[in-house]
Amino acid sequence: MTEVLLRGGTPWGADGPADVLVRDGRIATDPVDPAVIDISGQFVLPALVEAHCHLDKTLYGGPWIPHSADDTLAGRIGNDLSRRAELGVPSEARIAALLRTMRSYGTAHVRSHTDIDPEVGLRGVEAVSAAAAEVGMPVQQVAFPQHGVLTNPGTLDLLEEALKSGVAAIGGLDPAGIDRDPVRHLDLIFALADRYGAFLDIHLHDGGTLGAWELELIAERTRALGLGGRVTVSHAYALGQVDDAHQDRLAAVLADAGVALATAAVYSFPVPPLKRVLDAGVVVACGHDGIRDLWGPYGSGDMLERAMHLAYRSTFRRDEDIALALRAATYGGAEVLGLADYGLSVGCRADLVVVPVSSAAEAVVTRPPRTLVMISGKVVHSLVSEGGGVLHN
Amino acid sequence: MTEVLLRGGTPWGADGPADVLVRDGRIATDPVDPAVIDISGQFVLPALVEAHCHLDKTLYGGPWIPHSADDTLAGRIGNDLSRRAELGVPSEARIAALLRTMRSYGTAHVRSHTDIDPEVGLRGVEAVSAAAAEVGMPVQQVAFPQHGVLTNPGTLDLLEEALKSGVAAIGGLDPAGIDRDPVRHLDLIFALADRYGAFLDIHLHDGGTLGAWELELIAERTRALGLGGRVTVSHAYALGQVDDAHQDRLAAVLADAGVALATAAVYSFPVPPLKRVLDAGVVVACGHDGIRDLWGPYGSGDMLERAMHLAYRSTFRRDEDIALALRAATYGGAEVLGLADYGLSVGCRADLVVVPVSSAAEAVVTRPPRTLVMISGKVVHSLVSEGGGVLHN
């Protein structure tokens, strides 16, 4: 039995300071003879959840690669296809470097969309799996048809192959805008997800009334197949573009069907109206999207920074509003990933982040160095000084 | 004579590594017997310029203050007026703390909009002046009618009083949206600026065709009074809202009149189309707007981070585009502030920032710790290690 007592910190959601006991990797009660770590005056969060990234594409940890695509989606797709071999993408070393950085910032769980296409096959899936195993970090992969399903023959078979190989989720991509046949695209990927009991996570950049209508198609299929709680729409720019009444109608439809949203609040693209969809009962998760890759040079791996972007683009100023962005980067992501035993309650897995702030809002706004990161009860990152800090039994 | 040679770095704009000699506070040539600082493999920028902030309002360096205003402009103004006394705003200590942080990030020059109104009088101006003197950092103040000119009797006299006391610039605020009489508002503040040879820097949040028309009014008065090069419009959301052809027409009008823009790329508010206005010849500067104050909790004081927000909201991915945001945070700001001897050329004041990156774009995207900050040839911040680094004569 190993016991650690985090003493004097304030867990998120508690009324004030409350010690957190960790025993055998879980949050527990009734300490016997714990090692004590003094975190007085600090704030305790459940580990961060990166719910939407593209690990397989990353160039993280290598030299600066100037962005070489033109400013069109077709240009970015073509540039990606033409340069990934030259740059050694996917790279287990780059992915592992990024995962280590994510973990040092307090991320314990990751959902990553991995490119699947006839050229790259399942090499991306294998590279991400290998890196995750190397680092010892759980990564839930979405087999992602980045270059289309119907428009890229052979991809559908690869999605099924990925599922057979154990991938937990499959993706979709702009069923109308990219794949040109939204009904058939969605019918195919929903059928696959249903057959294999997989999660479904669909990229939807299609905007305005087109994207809004596709959200309805997705909700209809989720209800019809009883897949509520297992389907996520990523980006969903359309939700940030239609008028308020339309947003409300769509939010109700999504909540009723059990379709979640994942947002990254990237660049100047529309952000789904966070408070409005949460009020309707929609689960919302948060992620980086690309991190230092051929699609764009930005991204640090720090989910507190990502939550800041989400709060900032949502024009949230009040503490309780800013905290909603952090909920997306923690509890919302955990729900989308289907994590059991997530949180700060007794019995939960001891995946914790300690930060030198007084509130969730301050954590998001200031993104301070992490004082302590604990995964499954093990300290994986620590700034606690020898003297005032960790006392090992 | 004091001489320091920064050896082995790559100055921004140079083709490759080039030593930078600093003599008696200026960039020089022909070293005699300099102390040498090895910055091999690093990148040299001119000091950052914060061209739009509100130092007098800041709560920086104090405990976290949850945002207490409601989500309306009237709510924020009322909240500001009612709470500033309780929180000790303006505070010389808070302002000085923020200036020190800004300097440690490499900012050497600041333009700050200081509230002027019958209640606070010139106390804000005095607090900012005192803090600037305490820290030894130049701050160009804009006497700013935050609560209106025509709608707040007594403010116009205070603007004049501020100019008489030596403030370099006066401001304006939404001549239509807030002050309800754009022609009279602008005529009054232009006349004052003209009479005292002051800079003029006008907050313009008014959107769409209303804000666009006010930009025309501002350009007309700038031309008529020959004030080109001395007038700035801050925010100018309207420029990001009208259609492309209208943007082009306005950009040409502003460039022709010599009206500059300052943008902060805050929240989800519209950002002027940076490439388009630069192509037309408009000078663009960058700043934080508020930093940790009653108007909003965000802001770090790091102008590389601010440049990131500007690049990100501009959806800039390519190095040469991202560099435009950094130009706004350096050369653009210097031009708006009317700084002589700014830059990396021989004879310029040695205000320099050294960062461990390979390019301007990488500096903006990664916002690394500053290796060295030098102001007027003096090292004010340094991470250079004793052994491999600074050799003092």
Side-chain angles (χ1 to χ4, degrees):
Chain A
M1 184 178 83
T2 62
E3 275 191 341
V4 176
L5 188 71
L6 301 176
R7 177 172 287 164
T10 299
W12 188 16
D15 291 333
D19 296 346
V20 177
L21 179 69
V22 174
R23 182 187 297 126
D24 296 334
R26 292 191 174 263
I27 297 175
T29 54
D30 306 319
V32 180
D33 183 24
V36 174
I37 303 178
D38 181 9
I39 57 165
S40 297
Q42 308 218 29
F43 202 69
V44 184
L45 303 171
L48 298 157
V49 180
E50 163 59 75
H52 184 114
C53 66
H54 294 266
L55 292 173
D56 61 316
K57 297 190 204 293
T58 194
L59 303 165
Y60 187 85
W64 179 257
I65 307 289
H67 185 70
S68 47
D70 65 32
D71 270 342
T72 65
L73 180 60
R76 281 190 288 279
I77 290 175
N79 181 64
D80 181 30
L81 285 170
S82 68
R83 293 202 67 196
R84 62 188 183 187
E86 165 207 343
L87 292 166
V89 171
S91 156
E92 184 185 329
R94 298 269 175 264
I95 298 164
L98 177 52
L99 284 173
R100 287 195 180 90
T101 293
M102 288 175 161
R103 188 168 60 184
S104 74
Y105 283 127
T107 292
H109 303 277
V110 178
R111 173 178 280 186
S112 187
H113 294 253
T114 309
D115 282 13
I116 301 281
D117 65 57
E119 189 193 297
V120 78
L122 298 184
R123 283 198 297 121
V125 171
E126 292 154 9
V128 171
S129 293
E134 179 191 329
V135 177
M137 195 159 159
V139 175
Q140 185 183 88
Q141 291 195 64
V142 183
F144 173 48
Q146 170 78 73
H147 305 108
V149 177
L150 304 173
T151 56
N152 199 3
T155 301
L156 190 66
D157 292 341
L158 283 165
L159 288 176
E160 184 160 9
E161 201 180 314
L163 287 170
K164 285 180 181 165
S165 79
V167 161
I170 58 170
L173 174 67
D174 288 334
I178 297 278
D179 234 21
R180 321 306 299 163
D181 187 341
V183 171
R184 201 162 144 241
H185 176 107
L186 290 172
D187 284 346
L188 285 171
I189 60 173
F190 268 90
L192 257 188
D194 185 39
R195 197 174 329 140
Y196 286 86
F199 289 103
L200 195 52
D201 192 332
I202 302 163
H203 277 67
L204 187 65
H205 314 90
D206 286 340
T209 52
L210 175 61
W213 173 70
E214 292 177 272
L215 286 170
E216 294 175 1
L217 295 186
I218 291 167
E220 289 161 9
R221 281 155 183 75
T222 303
R223 285 177 60 96
L225 293 168
L227 290 177
R230 302 184 68 77
V231 176
T232 301
V233 177
S234 284
H235 304 315
Y237 295 154
L239 260 173
Q241 294 177 312
V242 296
D243 65 40
D244 290 1
H246 199 167
Q247 288 179 352
D248 280 336
R249 287 200 305 277
L250 285 171
V253 166
L254 295 173
D256 185 56
V259 175
L261 297 172
T263 180
V266 291
Y267 299 106
S268 243
F269 297 123
V271 179
L274 189 52
K275 273 202 269 191
R276 190 178 294 266
V277 297
L278 290 174
D279 284 347
V282 178
V283 173
V284 181
C286 179
H288 272 79
D289 205 4
I291 299 173
R292 302 284 186 85
D293 59 30
L294 288 169
W295 294 70
Y298 299 91
S300 66
D302 180 1
M303 281 302 297
L304 283 185
E305 181 177 321
R306 205 67 245 159
M308 176 278 289
H309 279 287
L310 176 54
Y312 201 63
R313 286 295 309 286
S314 300
T315 318
F316 287 164
R317 294 180 173 93
R318 299 176 70 90
D319 278 21
E320 61 268 33
D321 294 339
I322 296 170
L324 298 177
L326 187 55
R327 283 198 72 84
T330 51
Y331 292 97
E335 200 162 340
V336 159
L337 268 68
L339 301 180
D341 309 334
Y342 177 88
L344 295 178
S345 308
V346 170
C348 289
R349 212 179 88 157
D351 299 336
L352 307 169
V353 188
V354 179
V355 272
V357 298
S358 61
S359 67
E362 189 179 2
V364 171
V365 166
T366 64
R367 296 152 276 140
R370 309 308 116 96
T371 305
L372 195 81
V373 178
M374 184 180 269
I375 311 261
S376 276
K378 293 210 176 77
V379 174
V380 296
H381 166 88
S382 174
L383 299 177
V384 180
S385 64
E386 288 289 318
V390 188
L391 302 172
H392 287 290
N393 265 357
Chain B
M1 183 179 84
T2 63
E3 275 192 339
V4 176
L5 188 71
L6 301 175
R7 176 172 287 165
T10 299
W12 188 14
D15 292 333
D19 297 346
V20 177
L21 179 69
V22 174
R23 182 186 297 127
D24 297 334
R26 294 193 172 262
I27 297 174
T29 53
D30 307 318
V32 179
D33 183 25
V36 174
I37 303 178
D38 181 10
I39 58 165
S40 297
Q42 307 217 31
F43 201 69
V44 184
L45 302 171
L48 298 155
V49 180
E50 164 60 75
H52 184 114
C53 65
H54 294 266
L55 291 173
D56 61 317
K57 297 190 204 293
T58 194
L59 302 165
Y60 188 86
W64 179 256
I65 306 289
H67 186 69
S68 48
D70 66 31
D71 270 342
T72 64
L73 180 60
R76 282 191 288 279
I77 290 175
N79 182 65
D80 181 31
L81 285 170
S82 68
R83 294 203 67 196
R84 62 189 184 188
E86 164 207 345
L87 292 166
V89 172
S91 157
E92 183 185 330
R94 298 268 175 265
I95 299 165
L98 178 52
L99 284 173
R100 287 195 180 92
T101 293
M102 288 174 159
R103 187 168 61 183
S104 74
Y105 282 128
T107 292
H109 302 277
V110 177
R111 173 178 280 186
S112 188
H113 294 253
T114 308
D115 282 13
I116 301 283
D117 64 58
E119 190 192 298
V120 79
L122 297 185
R123 283 197 298 121
V125 171
E126 291 153 10
V128 171
S129 293
E134 179 191 330
V135 178
M137 195 158 158
V139 175
Q140 185 182 86
Q141 291 195 66
V142 183
F144 173 48
Q146 171 77 74
H147 306 108
V149 177
L150 304 172
T151 56
N152 200 2
T155 302
L156 189 66
D157 291 341
L158 283 164
L159 288 175
E160 183 159 10
E161 201 181 313
L163 287 170
K164 284 180 181 165
S165 79
V167 160
I170 58 169
L173 173 67
D174 288 334
I178 297 279
D179 233 21
R180 320 306 297 164
D181 187 341
V183 171
R184 201 162 143 241
H185 177 107
L186 290 173
D187 284 346
L188 286 170
I189 61 174
F190 268 91
L192 258 188
D194 185 40
R195 195 173 333 139
Y196 285 87
F199 289 103
L200 195 53
D201 192 331
I202 302 163
H203 276 67
L204 188 65
H205 313 90
D206 285 340
T209 51
L210 176 61
W213 173 70
E214 292 178 273
L215 286 170
E216 293 174 2
L217 296 186
I218 291 166
E220 289 161 9
R221 281 154 184 76
T222 304
R223 284 177 61 97
L225 292 169
L227 290 177
R230 302 184 68 77
V231 176
T232 300
V233 177
S234 284
H235 305 314
Y237 295 154
L239 260 174
Q241 294 178 312
V242 296
D243 66 39
D244 290 1
H246 199 167
Q247 288 179 351
D248 279 336
R249 288 200 305 277
L250 285 170
V253 166
L254 295 173
D256 185 56
V259 175
L261 297 172
T263 180
V266 290
Y267 300 105
S268 244
F269 298 123
V271 179
L274 189 53
K275 273 202 268 191
R276 191 178 293 267
V277 296
L278 289 173
D279 283 348
V282 177
V283 173
V284 181
C286 180
H288 273 78
D289 205 3
I291 298 174
R292 302 283 185 83
D293 60 31
L294 288 169
W295 293 71
Y298 299 92
S300 66
D302 181 1
M303 280 302 297
L304 283 185
E305 181 177 321
R306 206 67 245 159
M308 178 278 289
H309 279 287
L310 176 54
Y312 201 62
R313 286 295 309 285
S314 301
T315 317
F316 287 164
R317 294 180 173 93
R318 301 176 68 90
D319 278 22
E320 62 267 34
D321 294 340
I322 296 170
L324 297 177
L326 188 54
R327 284 198 73 85
T330 51
Y331 293 96
E335 200 161 340
V336 159
L337 268 69
L339 299 180
D341 309 334
Y342 177 87
L344 294 178
S345 309
V346 170
C348 288
R349 212 179 89 156
D351 299 337
L352 306 169
V353 188
V354 179
V355 272
V357 297
S358 61
S359 67
E362 189 178 2
V364 170
V365 166
T366 66
R367 297 152 276 141
R370 309 307 117 96
T371 305
L372 195 81
V373 177
M374 185 180 268
I375 311 260
S376 278
K378 293 210 177 77
V379 174
V380 296
H381 167 88
S382 174
L383 299 177
V384 179
S385 63
E386 287 288 318
V390 188
L391 303 173
H392 287 292
N393 265 358

